[in-house]
Amino acid sequence: RKWQFRGRFDSVGGRFNDELGFIPRRGVNNEFAYVGRAFRARWFPTWLREVRPHWQADVFTRQKGNTLDTRQQDFHVPFTFSNGSFMEVGMNSNLEIITTPFALNPARRVRIDAGRYEYNEWFVFFFGNGAAKVTPSFRYSVGDFYNGTKRAFAVGPSFHPNEKFNGSVSVQVNDISLPQASYVSTLTAVRANYNFNTRVFVNALLQYTNDTHQLSSNIRFNIIHRPLSDFFFVYNDHRDTQAGLMQDRSLIAKLTYLVAF
């Protein structure tokens, strides 16, 4: 009840046919390990319920040549409070062997060259009581990033005024400084969900990124016409706010019907 251990080994062959698209890499072995310890001491103040420090490692090696591909280690200390809120501090250690240059930010023409990159990220994260009418959350991180530095800040309060409506506003800011470029990337998202009853729902997402100056919206109307069977009516559009042009728009209807044999 106090200690927790987890481990996993996966092997994905180089000729594996990933028809569903859930496998990001082929020709690799993946080793995962986790060790955690829960503390609920009697001398804790009444507002603190549990402290659960843990370490985990996620390692990918290439089957051809048995060489390292990536390694990520997490050293985290989460705090669970008596009112249902949560806070976590920690450090993420990353090592990546890049064999093929790739575009980190195509809109700003920022590329990462081939090479070995080892960098650490320090962070603090807080999420308020999810049962409250207003739930604050934020995350701040700072550290190295490939051959440069990165500071990131995210804030996303959510609102639950009643049992029918909930919504959230989130802003993510990445301040990245690399030898070839320095830029600030911002992603803003607004979500709203309304439940007319237990069978009829509407969900909306509005999202804007300053990298591409794109504004996208998604509105989904859902009716559960029978258990495990739905009717969806979805509207999507993408706009270039800089040029003032509509890039694409779609209206989709989908019906699912479960047949029991």
Side-chain angles (χ1 to χ4, degrees):
R1 296 177 61 184
K2 295 182 179 180
W3 286 94
Q4 187 176 44
F5 302 90
R6 293 201 300 268
R8 189 186 71 247
F9 175 79
D10 297 322
S11 181
V12 183
R15 294 183 298 167
F16 177 72
N17 183 14
D18 180 26
E19 295 179 329
L20 295 179
F22 292 121
I23 304 297
R25 303 179 228 192
R26 292 183 295 178
V28 296
N29 294 329
N30 176 213
E31 300 92 18
F32 174 82
Y34 173 96
V35 179
R37 172 71 156 86
F39 294 92
R40 292 197 177 194
R42 298 192 177 199
W43 50 266
F44 279 179
T46 56
W47 48 266
L48 179 61
R49 179 180 302 167
E50 181 183 85
V51 181
R52 188 184 290 267
H54 61 263
W55 165 86
Q56 70 179 41
D58 201 10
V59 182
F60 284 86
T61 55
R62 301 185 186 97
Q63 295 173 350
K64 187 176 181 179
N66 194 30
T67 57
L68 181 65
D69 188 51
T70 62
R71 183 185 68 211
Q72 183 179 31
Q73 295 187 83
D74 300 343
F75 304 90
H76 295 182
V77 183
F79 301 86
T80 302
F81 301 106
S82 299
N83 67 350
S85 56
F86 174 86
M87 185 176 76
E88 187 172 29
V89 297
M91 187 265 283
N92 299 320
S93 177
N94 303 278
L95 189 152
E96 295 188 45
I97 310 296
I98 306 299
T99 57
T100 304
F102 70 95
L104 176 67
N105 189 323
R108 298 180 184 268
R109 299 179 181 178
V110 178
R111 289 168 55 86
I112 299 297
D113 296 326
R116 178 188 175 100
Y117 298 93
E118 194 166 0
Y119 53 94
N120 298 324
E121 175 198 44
W122 302 86
F123 75 93
V124 57
F125 169 75
F126 176 80
F127 183 81
N129 178 14
K133 290 188 175 182
V134 179
T135 303
S137 70
F138 72 86
R139 188 183 191 275
Y140 176 78
S141 64
V142 62
D144 300 327
F145 188 65
Y146 292 104
N147 55 345
T149 60
K150 173 183 174 182
R151 291 187 303 161
F153 178 78
V155 59
S158 57
F159 312 93
H160 318 86
N162 53 52
E163 72 280 2
K164 291 183 176 292
F165 176 80
N166 66 82
S168 66
V169 179
S170 64
V171 179
Q172 302 177 32
V173 180
N174 293 310
D175 184 358
I176 297 175
S177 178
L178 299 170
Q180 64 269 39
S182 296
Y183 61 93
V184 177
S185 177
T186 303
L187 175 66
T188 305
V190 178
R191 296 178 182 271
N193 306 287
Y194 188 82
N195 309 320
F196 294 93
N197 49 52
T198 57
R199 299 167 62 95
V200 182
F201 319 91
V202 63
N203 317 107
L205 169 65
L206 187 68
Q207 188 168 270
Y208 174 77
T209 174
N210 72 325
D211 284 330
T212 57
H213 303 283
Q214 285 192 346
L215 178 67
S216 62
S217 59
N218 170 270
I219 302 174
R220 186 182 69 168
F221 183 70
N222 178 206
I223 299 176
I224 304 176
H225 57 89
R226 56 172 293 168
L228 301 178
S229 301
D230 301 81
F231 172 72
F232 297 99
F233 198 66
V234 184
Y235 172 79
N236 295 303
D237 73 36
H238 296 84
R239 302 170 185 267
D240 187 332
T241 59
Q242 197 170 33
L245 298 176
M246 171 77 72
Q247 293 184 317
D248 61 74
R249 178 166 39 187
S250 63
L251 194 62
I252 304 166
K254 177 183 176 181
L255 176 68
T256 63
Y257 191 92
L258 179 68
V259 179
F261 295 94

